[in-house]
Coordinates of all heavy atoms in Angstrom, one line a residue:
M1 N 0.8 -1.2 0.0 CA 0.0 0.0 0.0 C 0.9 1.3 0.0 O 0.5 2.3 -0.6 CB -0.9 0.0 1.2 CG -2.1 -0.9 1.1 SD -3.1 -0.7 -0.3 CE -4.4 0.4 0.4
E2 N 2.0 1.2 0.7 CA 2.8 2.4 0.8 C 3.4 2.7 -0.6 O 3.7 3.9 -0.9 CB 4.0 2.1 1.8 CG 4.6 3.4 2.2 CD 5.5 3.2 3.5 OE1 4.9 2.8 4.5 OE2 6.6 3.5 3.4
V3 N 3.5 1.8 -1.5 CA 4.0 2.0 -2.9 C 3.1 3.0 -3.6 O 3.5 3.9 -4.3 CB 4.2 0.7 -3.6 CG1 4.4 0.9 -5.1 CG2 5.2 -0.2 -3.0
I4 N 1.8 2.8 -3.3 CA 0.8 3.7 -4.0 C 1.0 5.1 -3.5 O 1.0 6.1 -4.3 CB -0.6 3.3 -3.6 CG1 -0.9 1.9 -4.3 CG2 -1.6 4.3 -4.1 CD1 -2.2 1.3 -3.8
G5 N 1.3 5.3 -2.2 CA 1.6 6.7 -1.7 C 2.8 7.3 -2.3 O 2.9 8.5 -2.7
W6 N 3.9 6.5 -2.4 CA 5.1 7.0 -3.0 C 5.0 7.3 -4.5 O 5.5 8.2 -5.1 CB 6.3 6.1 -2.8 CG 6.7 6.1 -1.3 CD1 6.5 5.1 -0.4 CD2 7.3 7.2 -0.6 NE1 7.0 5.6 0.8 CE2 7.5 6.8 0.7 CE3 7.7 8.5 -1.0 CZ2 8.0 7.7 1.7 CZ3 8.2 9.4 -0.1 CH2 8.4 8.9 1.3
A7 N 4.2 6.4 -5.2 CA 3.9 6.7 -6.6 C 3.1 8.0 -6.8 O 3.4 8.8 -7.7 CB 3.1 5.5 -7.2
G8 N 2.2 8.3 -5.9 CA 1.5 9.5 -5.9 C 2.4 10.7 -5.7 O 2.3 11.8 -6.3
T9 N 3.3 10.5 -4.7 CA 4.3 11.6 -4.4 C 5.2 11.9 -5.6 O 5.5 13.0 -6.0 CB 5.2 11.1 -3.2 OG1 4.4 10.8 -2.1 CG2 6.2 12.2 -2.9
A10 N 5.6 10.8 -6.3 CA 6.4 11.0 -7.5 C 5.6 11.8 -8.6 O 6.2 12.7 -9.3 CB 6.9 9.6 -8.1
L11 N 4.4 11.5 -8.7 CA 3.5 12.2 -9.7 C 3.3 13.6 -9.3 O 3.3 14.5 -10.2 CB 2.2 11.5 -9.9 CG 2.2 10.2 -10.7 CD1 0.8 9.5 -10.7 CD2 2.7 10.4 -12.1
V12 N 3.3 13.9 -8.0 CA 3.2 15.3 -7.6 C 4.4 16.1 -8.1 O 4.3 17.2 -8.6 CB 3.0 15.4 -6.1 CG1 3.3 16.9 -5.6 CG2 1.7 15.0 -5.7
I13 N 5.6 15.5 -7.9 CA 6.8 16.1 -8.3 C 6.8 16.3 -9.8 O 7.1 17.4 -10.3 CB 8.0 15.3 -7.9 CG1 8.1 15.3 -6.4 CG2 9.3 15.9 -8.5 CD1 9.1 14.3 -5.8
I14 N 6.5 15.3 -10.6 CA 6.5 15.3 -12.0 C 5.4 16.4 -12.5 O 5.7 17.1 -13.5 CB 6.2 13.9 -12.6 CG1 7.3 13.0 -12.3 CG2 5.9 14.0 -14.1 CD1 7.0 11.5 -12.6
A15 N 4.3 16.5 -11.9 CA 3.2 17.3 -12.3 C 3.6 18.8 -12.3 O 3.2 19.6 -13.2 CB 2.0 17.2 -11.5
Y16 N 4.5 19.2 -11.4 CA 4.9 20.6 -11.3 C 5.9 21.0 -12.4 O 6.1 22.1 -12.8 CB 5.5 21.0 -10.0 CG 4.5 21.2 -8.9 CD1 4.2 20.2 -7.9 CD2 3.7 22.3 -8.9 CE1 3.3 20.4 -7.0 CE2 2.7 22.5 -8.0 CZ 2.5 21.6 -7.0 OH 1.6 21.8 -6.0
Y17 N 6.6 20.0 -12.9 CA 7.8 20.2 -13.8 C 7.4 21.1 -15.1 O 8.1 22.1 -15.3 CB 8.4 18.9 -14.3 CG 9.5 19.1 -15.2 CD1 10.8 19.6 -14.8 CD2 9.4 19.0 -16.6 CE1 11.8 19.9 -15.7 CE2 10.4 19.2 -17.5 CZ 11.6 19.6 -17.1 OH 12.6 19.9 -17.9
P18 N 6.3 20.7 -15.8 CA 6.1 21.5 -17.0 C 5.8 23.0 -16.7 O 6.3 23.9 -17.5 CB 4.8 20.9 -17.6 CG 4.8 19.5 -17.1 CD 5.4 19.6 -15.7
Q19 N 5.0 23.3 -15.7 CA 4.7 24.7 -15.4 C 6.0 25.4 -14.9 O 6.3 26.6 -15.4 CB 3.7 24.8 -14.3 CG 3.3 26.2 -13.9 CD 2.5 26.9 -15.0 OE1 1.4 26.5 -15.3 NE2 3.2 27.8 -15.7
I20 N 6.7 24.8 -14.0 CA 7.9 25.5 -13.5 C 9.0 25.7 -14.6 O 9.6 26.7 -14.7 CB 8.5 24.8 -12.2 CG1 7.5 24.9 -11.1 CG2 9.9 25.3 -11.9 CD1 7.9 24.1 -9.8
H21 N 9.1 24.7 -15.4 CA 10.1 24.7 -16.5 C 9.7 25.9 -17.5 O 10.5 26.7 -17.9 CB 10.1 23.4 -17.3 CG 11.0 23.4 -18.4 ND1 10.6 23.7 -19.7 CD2 12.4 23.1 -18.5 CE1 11.7 23.6 -20.5 NE2 12.7 23.2 -19.8
H22 N 8.4 26.0 -17.8 CA 7.9 27.0 -18.7 C 8.2 28.4 -18.1 O 8.7 29.3 -18.8 CB 6.4 26.9 -18.9 CG 5.9 27.7 -20.0 ND1 6.1 27.5 -21.3 CD2 5.1 28.8 -20.0 CE1 5.5 28.4 -22.1 NE2 4.9 29.2 -21.2
L23 N 8.0 28.5 -16.8 CA 8.2 29.8 -16.1 C 9.7 30.2 -16.1 O 10.1 31.3 -16.3 CB 7.6 29.8 -14.7 CG 6.1 29.9 -14.6 CD1 5.7 29.5 -13.2 CD2 5.6 31.3 -14.9
L24 N 10.5 29.2 -15.7 CA 11.9 29.5 -15.6 C 12.7 29.7 -16.9 O 13.6 30.5 -17.0 CB 12.6 28.4 -14.7 CG 12.1 28.3 -13.3 CD1 12.8 27.2 -12.5 CD2 12.3 29.7 -12.5
V25 N 12.3 28.8 -17.9 CA 13.0 28.9 -19.2 C 12.5 29.9 -20.1 O 13.2 30.7 -20.6 CB 13.0 27.5 -19.8 CG1 13.6 27.5 -21.2 CG2 13.7 26.4 -19.0
E26 N 11.2 30.0 -20.2 CA 10.5 30.9 -21.2 C 10.2 32.3 -20.5 O 9.9 33.2 -21.2 CB 9.2 30.3 -21.7 CG 9.4 29.1 -22.5 CD 10.0 29.3 -23.9 OE1 10.2 30.4 -24.3 OE2 10.4 28.2 -24.5
R27 N 10.2 32.3 -19.2 CA 9.8 33.5 -18.4 C 8.4 33.9 -18.8 O 8.2 35.1 -18.9 CB 10.9 34.6 -18.5 CG 12.3 34.1 -18.0 CD 13.3 35.2 -18.0 NE 12.9 36.3 -17.2 CZ 13.1 36.4 -15.8 NH1 13.7 35.4 -15.3 NH2 12.7 37.4 -15.1
C28 N 7.6 33.0 -19.1 CA 6.2 33.3 -19.6 C 5.2 32.7 -18.5 O 5.2 31.6 -18.2 CB 6.0 32.6 -20.9 SG 4.3 32.6 -21.5
A29 N 4.4 33.6 -18.1 CA 3.3 33.3 -17.1 C 1.9 33.5 -17.7 O 1.0 33.7 -16.9 CB 3.5 34.1 -15.8
W30 N 1.8 33.4 -19.0 CA 0.6 33.6 -19.7 C -0.5 32.7 -19.1 O -0.3 31.5 -19.1 CB 0.7 33.4 -21.2 CG -0.4 34.0 -22.0 CD1 -0.5 35.2 -22.5 CD2 -1.5 33.2 -22.5 NE1 -1.7 35.3 -23.2 CE2 -2.3 34.2 -23.2 CE3 -2.0 31.9 -22.3 CZ2 -3.5 33.8 -23.8 CZ3 -3.2 31.6 -22.9 CH2 -3.9 32.5 -23.6
G31 N -1.7 33.3 -18.8 CA -2.8 32.5 -18.3 C -2.7 32.0 -16.9 O -3.6 31.3 -16.4
L32 N -1.6 32.3 -16.2 CA -1.5 31.8 -14.8 C -2.1 32.7 -13.9 O -1.8 33.9 -13.9 CB 0.0 31.6 -14.6 CG 0.4 30.8 -13.3 CD1 1.6 30.0 -13.6 CD2 0.6 31.8 -12.2
S33 N -2.9 32.2 -13.0 CA -3.6 33.1 -12.0 C -2.8 33.0 -10.7 O -2.8 32.0 -10.0 CB -5.0 32.6 -11.8 OG -5.6 33.2 -10.6
I34 N -2.2 34.1 -10.3 CA -1.5 34.2 -9.1 C -2.4 34.0 -7.9 O -2.0 33.3 -6.9 CB -0.7 35.6 -8.9 CG1 0.3 35.7 -10.0 CG2 -0.1 35.7 -7.5 CD1 1.6 34.9 -9.8
S35 N -3.6 34.5 -8.0 CA -4.6 34.3 -6.9 C -4.9 32.9 -6.6 O -4.9 32.4 -5.4 CB -5.9 35.0 -7.2 OG -5.7 36.4 -7.4
T36 N -5.0 32.1 -7.6 CA -5.3 30.7 -7.5 C -4.1 30.0 -6.8 O -4.2 29.2 -5.9 CB -5.5 30.0 -8.9 OG1 -6.7 30.6 -9.4 CG2 -5.7 28.5 -8.7
W37 N -2.9 30.3 -7.2 CA -1.7 29.7 -6.7 C -1.5 30.1 -5.2 O -1.0 29.3 -4.4 CB -0.4 30.0 -7.5 CG -0.4 29.2 -8.8 CD1 -1.0 29.5 -10.0 CD2 0.1 27.9 -9.0 NE1 -0.9 28.5 -10.9 CE2 -0.1 27.5 -10.3 CE3 0.9 27.1 -8.2 CZ2 0.3 26.3 -10.8 CZ3 1.3 25.9 -8.7 CH2 1.0 25.5 -10.0
V38 N -1.9 31.3 -4.9 CA -1.7 31.8 -3.5 C -2.7 31.0 -2.6 O -2.4 30.6 -1.5 CB -2.0 33.3 -3.3 CG1 -2.2 33.7 -1.9 CG2 -0.8 34.1 -4.0
I39 N -3.9 30.7 -3.1 CA -4.9 29.9 -2.4 C -4.4 28.5 -2.2 O -4.5 27.9 -1.1 CB -6.3 29.9 -3.1 CG1 -6.9 31.3 -3.1 CG2 -7.2 28.9 -2.5 CD1 -8.1 31.5 -4.0
W40 N -3.8 28.0 -3.2 CA -3.1 26.6 -3.1 C -2.0 26.6 -2.1 O -1.8 25.7 -1.3 CB -2.6 26.1 -4.4 CG -3.7 25.6 -5.3 CD1 -5.0 25.2 -5.0 CD2 -3.6 25.4 -6.7 NE1 -5.7 24.8 -6.1 CE2 -4.9 24.9 -7.2 CE3 -2.7 25.7 -7.7 CZ2 -5.1 24.6 -8.5 CZ3 -2.9 25.4 -9.0 CH2 -4.2 24.9 -9.4
L41 N -1.3 27.7 -2.0 CA -0.2 27.9 -1.0 C -0.8 27.8 0.4 O -0.2 27.1 1.3 CB 0.6 29.2 -1.3 CG 1.8 29.4 -0.4 CD1 2.9 28.4 -0.8 CD2 2.3 30.8 -0.5
I42 N -1.8 28.6 0.6 CA -2.5 28.6 1.9 C -3.1 27.2 2.3 O -2.9 26.7 3.4 CB -3.6 29.7 2.0 CG1 -3.0 31.1 1.8 CG2 -4.4 29.6 3.3 CD1 -4.0 32.2 1.5
A43 N -3.7 26.6 1.3 CA -4.3 25.2 1.5 C -3.2 24.2 1.8 O -3.3 23.4 2.7 CB -5.0 24.8 0.2
S44 N -2.1 24.3 1.1 CA -1.0 23.3 1.4 C -0.4 23.6 2.7 O 0.0 22.6 3.4 CB 0.1 23.5 0.3 OG -0.4 22.9 -0.9
T45 N -0.3 24.8 3.2 CA 0.2 25.1 4.5 C -0.7 24.5 5.6 O -0.2 23.9 6.5 CB 0.3 26.6 4.7 OG1 1.2 27.2 3.7 CG2 0.9 27.0 6.0
L46 N -2.0 24.7 5.4 CA -2.9 24.1 6.4 C -2.9 22.6 6.4 O -2.9 22.0 7.4 CB -4.4 24.6 6.0 CG -4.6 26.1 6.2 CD1 -6.0 26.5 5.7 CD2 -4.4 26.5 7.6
L47 N -2.8 22.0 5.2 CA -2.7 20.5 5.1 C -1.4 20.0 5.7 O -1.4 19.0 6.3 CB -2.9 20.1 3.6 CG -4.3 20.3 3.1 CD1 -4.3 20.0 1.6 CD2 -5.3 19.3 3.8
L48 N -0.3 20.8 5.5 CA 1.0 20.4 6.1 C 0.9 20.4 7.6 O 1.3 19.4 8.3 CB 2.1 21.3 5.6 CG 3.5 20.9 6.3 CD1 3.9 19.5 5.9 CD2 4.5 21.9 5.7
I49 N 0.2 21.4 8.2 CA 0.0 21.5 9.7 C -0.8 20.3 10.1 O -0.5 19.6 11.1 CB -0.7 22.8 10.0 CG1 0.3 24.0 9.8 CG2 -1.1 22.8 11.5 CD1 -0.3 25.3 9.9
H50 N -1.8 20.0 9.4 CA -2.7 18.8 9.7 C -1.9 17.5 9.7 O -2.0 16.7 10.6 CB -3.8 18.7 8.6 CG -4.7 17.5 8.8 ND1 -5.7 17.5 9.8 CD2 -4.8 16.4 8.1 CE1 -6.3 16.3 9.7 NE2 -5.8 15.6 8.7
C51 N -1.0 17.3 8.7 CA -0.2 16.1 8.6 C 0.8 16.0 9.7 O 1.0 15.0 10.3 CB 0.6 16.1 7.3 SG -0.4 16.0 5.8
I52 N 1.4 17.2 10.1 CA 2.3 17.2 11.2 C 1.6 16.8 12.5 O 2.1 16.0 13.3 CB 3.0 18.6 11.3 CG1 3.9 18.8 10.2 CG2 3.8 18.7 12.7 CD1 4.4 20.3 10.0
L53 N 0.4 17.3 12.7 CA -0.3 17.0 14.0 C -0.7 15.5 14.0 O -0.7 14.9 15.1 CB -1.5 17.9 14.1 CG -1.3 19.4 14.3 CD1 -2.6 20.2 14.2 CD2 -0.5 19.6 15.6
R54 N -0.9 15.0 12.8 CA -1.3 13.5 12.8 C -0.1 12.6 12.6 O -0.2 11.4 12.6 CB -2.3 13.3 11.6 CG -3.6 13.9 11.8 CD -4.5 13.7 10.6 NE -4.7 12.2 10.5 CZ -5.8 11.6 10.5 NH1 -6.9 12.2 10.6 NH2 -5.8 10.3 10.3
R55 N 1.1 13.2 12.5 CA 2.4 12.5 12.3 C 2.3 11.5 11.1 O 2.7 10.4 11.1 CB 2.7 11.7 13.6 CG 3.0 12.6 14.7 CD 3.3 11.9 15.9 NE 3.4 12.8 17.1 CZ 4.3 12.8 18.0 NH1 5.1 11.8 18.0 NH2 4.3 13.7 19.0
D56 N 1.7 12.1 10.0 CA 1.6 11.3 8.8 C 2.8 11.7 7.9 O 2.7 12.7 7.2 CB 0.2 11.6 8.1 CG 0.0 10.8 6.9 OD1 0.9 10.3 6.2 OD2 -1.2 10.5 6.6
Y57 N 3.8 10.9 7.9 CA 5.1 11.3 7.3 C 5.0 11.4 5.8 O 5.6 12.3 5.2 CB 6.2 10.4 7.8 CG 6.4 10.5 9.3 CD1 6.0 9.5 10.1 CD2 7.0 11.6 9.8 CE1 6.2 9.6 11.5 CE2 7.1 11.8 11.2 CZ 6.8 10.7 12.0 OH 6.9 10.9 13.3
L58 N 4.3 10.5 5.2 CA 4.2 10.5 3.7 C 3.5 11.8 3.2 O 4.1 12.5 2.4 CB 3.4 9.3 3.2 CG 3.1 9.3 1.7 CD1 4.4 9.1 0.9 CD2 2.2 8.1 1.3
F59 N 2.4 12.2 3.9 CA 1.8 13.4 3.4 C 2.5 14.6 3.9 O 2.4 15.7 3.3 CB 0.3 13.4 3.9 CG -0.6 12.5 3.0 CD1 -0.9 11.3 3.5 CD2 -1.0 13.0 1.8 CE1 -1.7 10.5 2.7 CE2 -1.7 12.2 1.0 CZ -2.1 10.9 1.4
M60 N 3.3 14.5 4.9 CA 4.2 15.7 5.3 C 5.2 15.9 4.1 O 5.4 17.1 3.8 CB 5.0 15.3 6.5 CG 4.4 15.6 7.8 SD 5.6 15.4 9.2 CE 4.7 14.3 10.2
I61 N 5.7 14.8 3.5 CA 6.6 15.0 2.4 C 5.9 15.6 1.2 O 6.4 16.5 0.6 CB 7.3 13.6 2.1 CG1 8.2 13.2 3.2 CG2 8.1 13.7 0.8 CD1 8.7 11.8 3.1
V62 N 4.7 15.0 0.9 CA 4.0 15.5 -0.2 C 3.6 17.0 -0.1 O 3.8 17.8 -1.0 CB 2.7 14.7 -0.4 CG1 1.8 15.3 -1.5 CG2 3.0 13.3 -0.8
Q63 N 3.2 17.4 1.1 CA 2.8 18.8 1.3 C 4.0 19.7 1.3 O 3.9 20.8 0.9 CB 2.0 18.9 2.6 CG 0.6 18.4 2.5 CD -0.2 18.9 1.3 OE1 -0.1 20.0 0.9 NE2 -0.9 18.0 0.6
S64 N 5.1 19.2 1.8 CA 6.3 20.0 1.7 C 6.8 20.2 0.3 O 7.1 21.4 -0.1 CB 7.5 19.3 2.5 OG 7.1 19.2 3.9
I65 N 6.7 19.2 -0.5 CA 7.0 19.3 -1.9 C 6.0 20.3 -2.6 O 6.4 21.2 -3.4 CB 6.9 18.0 -2.7 CG1 8.1 17.1 -2.2 CG2 7.0 18.1 -4.2 CD1 8.0 15.6 -2.6
N66 N 4.7 20.2 -2.2 CA 3.7 21.1 -2.8 C 4.1 22.6 -2.4 O 4.0 23.4 -3.3 CB 2.3 20.8 -2.2 CG 1.6 19.7 -3.1 OD1 1.8 19.7 -4.3 ND2 0.8 19.0 -2.4
L67 N 4.4 22.8 -1.1 CA 4.7 24.1 -0.7 C 5.9 24.7 -1.5 O 5.8 25.9 -1.9 CB 5.0 24.1 0.8 CG 3.8 24.3 1.7 CD1 4.2 24.1 3.2 CD2 3.1 25.6 1.5
I68 N 6.9 23.9 -1.6 CA 8.1 24.4 -2.3 C 7.8 24.7 -3.8 O 8.2 25.8 -4.3 CB 9.3 23.4 -2.2 CG1 9.7 23.3 -0.7 CG2 10.4 23.7 -3.1 CD1 10.6 22.1 -0.4
A69 N 7.1 23.8 -4.4 CA 6.8 24.0 -5.8 C 5.8 25.1 -6.1 O 6.0 25.9 -7.0 CB 6.2 22.7 -6.4
I70 N 4.9 25.3 -5.2 CA 3.9 26.4 -5.3 C 4.7 27.7 -5.1 O 4.5 28.7 -5.8 CB 2.8 26.2 -4.3 CG1 1.9 25.1 -4.8 CG2 1.9 27.5 -4.3 CD1 0.9 24.6 -3.7
A71 N 5.6 27.8 -4.1 CA 6.3 29.0 -3.8 C 7.2 29.4 -5.0 O 7.3 30.5 -5.4 CB 7.1 28.9 -2.6
I72 N 7.9 28.4 -5.6 CA 8.7 28.6 -6.8 C 7.8 29.1 -7.9 O 8.2 30.1 -8.6 CB 9.4 27.3 -7.2 CG1 10.5 27.0 -6.2 CG2 10.1 27.5 -8.6 CD1 11.1 25.6 -6.4
T73 N 6.7 28.5 -8.1 CA 5.8 28.9 -9.2 C 5.3 30.4 -9.0 O 5.4 31.2 -10.0 CB 4.5 28.0 -9.2 OG1 4.9 26.7 -9.5 CG2 3.6 28.5 -10.3
I74 N 4.9 30.8 -7.8 CA 4.5 32.1 -7.6 C 5.6 33.1 -7.8 O 5.5 34.2 -8.4 CB 3.9 32.3 -6.1 CG1 2.6 31.5 -6.0 CG2 3.7 33.7 -5.8 CD1 2.1 31.3 -4.6
I75 N 6.8 32.8 -7.2 CA 8.0 33.7 -7.4 C 8.3 33.9 -8.8 O 8.6 35.0 -9.3 CB 9.1 33.2 -6.5 CG1 8.8 33.4 -5.0 CG2 10.4 34.0 -6.8 CD1 9.8 32.6 -4.1
A76 N 8.4 32.7 -9.5 CA 8.8 32.8 -10.9 C 7.8 33.5 -11.8 O 8.1 34.2 -12.7 CB 9.0 31.4 -11.5
A77 N 6.5 33.3 -11.5 CA 5.4 34.0 -12.2 C 5.5 35.5 -12.0 O 5.3 36.3 -13.0 CB 4.1 33.4 -11.8
R78 N 5.8 35.9 -10.8 CA 5.9 37.4 -10.6 C 7.1 38.0 -11.3 O 7.1 39.2 -11.6 CB 5.9 37.6 -9.1 CG 4.6 37.3 -8.4 CD 4.6 37.7 -6.9 NE 4.9 39.1 -6.7 CZ 4.0 40.1 -6.7 NH1 2.8 39.9 -6.8 NH2 4.4 41.3 -6.5
K79 N 8.1 37.2 -11.5 CA 9.3 37.7 -12.2 C 9.2 37.5 -13.7 O 10.1 38.0 -14.5 CB 10.6 36.9 -11.7 CG 10.9 37.3 -10.3 CD 12.2 36.6 -9.9 CE 12.6 37.1 -8.5 NZ 13.9 36.4 -8.1
S80 N 8.2 36.8 -14.2 CA 8.0 36.6 -15.6 C 7.7 37.9 -16.3 O 6.8 38.6 -15.9 CB 7.0 35.5 -15.9 OG 7.4 34.3 -15.4
N81 N 8.3 38.1 -17.4 CA 8.1 39.3 -18.2 C 8.1 39.1 -19.7 O 8.5 40.0 -20.4 CB 9.1 40.4 -17.8 CG 10.5 39.9 -18.0 OD1 10.7 38.8 -18.4 ND2 11.5 40.7 -17.6
N82 N 7.8 37.9 -20.1 CA 7.9 37.5 -21.5 C 6.7 36.7 -21.9 O 6.0 36.0 -21.1 CB 9.2 36.7 -21.6 CG 9.6 36.4 -23.0 OD1 9.3 37.3 -23.9 ND2 10.1 35.3 -23.3
L83 N 6.5 36.6 -23.2 CA 5.5 35.7 -23.8 C 6.3 34.8 -24.6 O 7.1 35.2 -25.5 CB 4.5 36.4 -24.6 CG 3.3 37.1 -23.9 CD1 2.4 37.7 -24.9 CD2 2.5 36.1 -23.0
C84 N 6.2 33.5 -24.4 CA 6.9 32.5 -25.3 C 6.3 32.6 -26.7 O 5.2 33.1 -26.8 CB 6.7 31.1 -24.6 SG 5.1 30.5 -24.7
P85 N 7.0 32.0 -27.7 CA 6.4 32.1 -29.0 C 5.0 31.5 -29.2 O 4.2 32.1 -29.8 CB 7.4 31.3 -29.8 CG 8.7 31.4 -29.0 CD 8.3 31.4 -27.6
Y86 N 4.8 30.4 -28.4 CA 3.4 29.8 -28.5 C 2.4 30.7 -28.0 O 1.3 31.0 -28.6 CB 3.4 28.4 -27.8 CG 2.0 27.8 -27.7 CD1 1.4 27.2 -28.8 CD2 1.3 27.9 -26.5 CE1 0.2 26.7 -28.8 CE2 0.0 27.4 -26.5 CZ -0.5 26.8 -27.6 OH -1.8 26.3 -27.5
H87 N 2.6 31.2 -26.8 CA 1.6 32.1 -26.1 C 1.5 33.5 -26.8 O 0.4 34.1 -26.8 CB 1.8 32.2 -24.6 CG 1.4 31.0 -23.9 ND1 2.3 30.3 -23.1 CD2 0.3 30.2 -23.9 CE1 1.7 29.2 -22.6 NE2 0.5 29.2 -23.1
L88 N 2.6 33.9 -27.4 CA 2.5 35.1 -28.2 C 1.5 35.0 -29.4 O 0.7 35.8 -29.7 CB 3.9 35.5 -28.7 CG 4.0 36.8 -29.5 CD1 3.5 38.0 -28.6 CD2 5.4 37.1 -30.0
T89 N 1.6 33.8 -30.0 CA 0.7 33.5 -31.2 C -0.7 33.4 -30.6 O -1.7 34.0 -31.3 CB 1.1 32.1 -31.8 OG1 2.4 32.3 -32.3 CG2 0.2 31.8 -33.0
V90 N -0.9 32.8 -29.5 CA -2.3 32.6 -28.9 C -2.8 34.0 -28.6 O -4.0 34.3 -28.9 CB -2.3 31.8 -27.7 CG1 -3.6 31.8 -26.9 CG2 -1.9 30.3 -28.0
A91 N -2.0 34.9 -28.0 CA -2.4 36.2 -27.6 C -2.8 37.1 -28.8 O -3.8 37.8 -28.8 CB -1.4 36.9 -26.8
R92 N -2.0 36.9 -29.9 CA -2.2 37.7 -31.1 C -3.5 37.2 -31.8 O -4.3 38.0 -32.3 CB -1.0 37.6 -32.1 CG 0.1 38.4 -31.7 CD 1.3 38.4 -32.6 NE 2.3 39.3 -32.3 CZ 3.6 39.1 -32.7 NH1 3.9 38.1 -33.5 NH2 4.5 40.0 -32.3
T93 N -3.7 35.9 -31.8 CA -4.9 35.3 -32.4 C -6.2 35.8 -31.6 O -7.2 36.2 -32.2 CB -4.9 33.8 -32.4 OG1 -3.7 33.4 -33.1 CG2 -6.1 33.2 -33.0
A94 N -6.1 35.8 -30.3 CA -7.2 36.3 -29.5 C -7.5 37.7 -29.7 O -8.6 38.2 -29.6 CB -6.9 36.0 -28.0
A95 N -6.4 38.5 -30.0 CA -6.6 40.0 -30.2 C -7.0 40.3 -31.7 O -7.2 41.4 -32.0 CB -5.3 40.7 -29.8
G96 N -7.0 39.2 -32.5 CA -7.4 39.4 -33.9 C -6.3 40.0 -34.7 O -6.6 40.6 -35.8
Q97 N -5.1 39.8 -34.3 CA -3.9 40.3 -35.1 C -3.3 39.3 -36.0 O -3.2 38.2 -35.7 CB -2.8 40.9 -34.2 CG -3.3 42.0 -33.4 CD -2.3 42.5 -32.4 OE1 -1.2 41.9 -32.2 NE2 -2.6 43.6 -31.7
Ligands
ZN1 ZN1 4.2 30.6 -22.6

């Protein structure tokens, strides 16, 4: 059963990679809602406290990873000042250019 938990933890790590890579490499935060990510940051903090109080080590690790990845996402998004070629095309198409 513990294998399922670790597989889920691995997927949490993998799931953040495309977004963080896009933010750090392309410096593009197109379509990203900072408000949503701040809510997730607060939720992950509360869930981490819950895990600590229950001494649930697997979920402590997952929530710690979530907190770090969410914080990196928010910081990188706030520093983003570029549109990648793909999102530039999407933005121009939406603007009718
Ligand atoms: Zn982009």
Side-chain angles (χ1 to χ4, degrees):
M1 286 303 265
E2 200 165 299
V3 170
I4 294 171
W6 288 111
T9 304
L11 286 175
V12 167
I13 296 168
I14 292 168
Y16 281 107
Y17 178 77
Q19 181 67 72
I20 291 175
H21 180 268
H22 191 73
L23 286 166
L24 295 179
V25 173
E26 300 286 350
R27 301 185 61 84
C28 172
W30 194 87
L32 192 144
S33 167
I34 295 288
S35 301
T36 298
W37 285 87
V38 168
I39 293 168
W40 282 341
L41 185 70
I42 295 166
S44 286
T45 302
L46 295 173
L47 289 170
L48 178 59
I49 292 168
H50 177 75
C51 296
I52 291 169
L53 294 174
R54 291 180 59 121
R55 297 178 187 218
D56 188 331
Y57 297 109
L58 176 65
F59 283 101
M60 275 188 232
I61 292 169
V62 173
Q63 288 309 320
S64 297
I65 293 167
N66 273 330
L67 274 175
I68 293 166
I70 292 168
I72 290 171
T73 300
I74 292 170
I75 292 167
R78 290 186 56 90
K79 290 183 175 181
S80 295
N81 56 2
N82 188 35
L83 281 179
C84 67
Y86 174 75
H87 286 126
L88 183 60
T89 302
V90 171
R92 285 182 176 159
T93 301
Q97 298 176 353

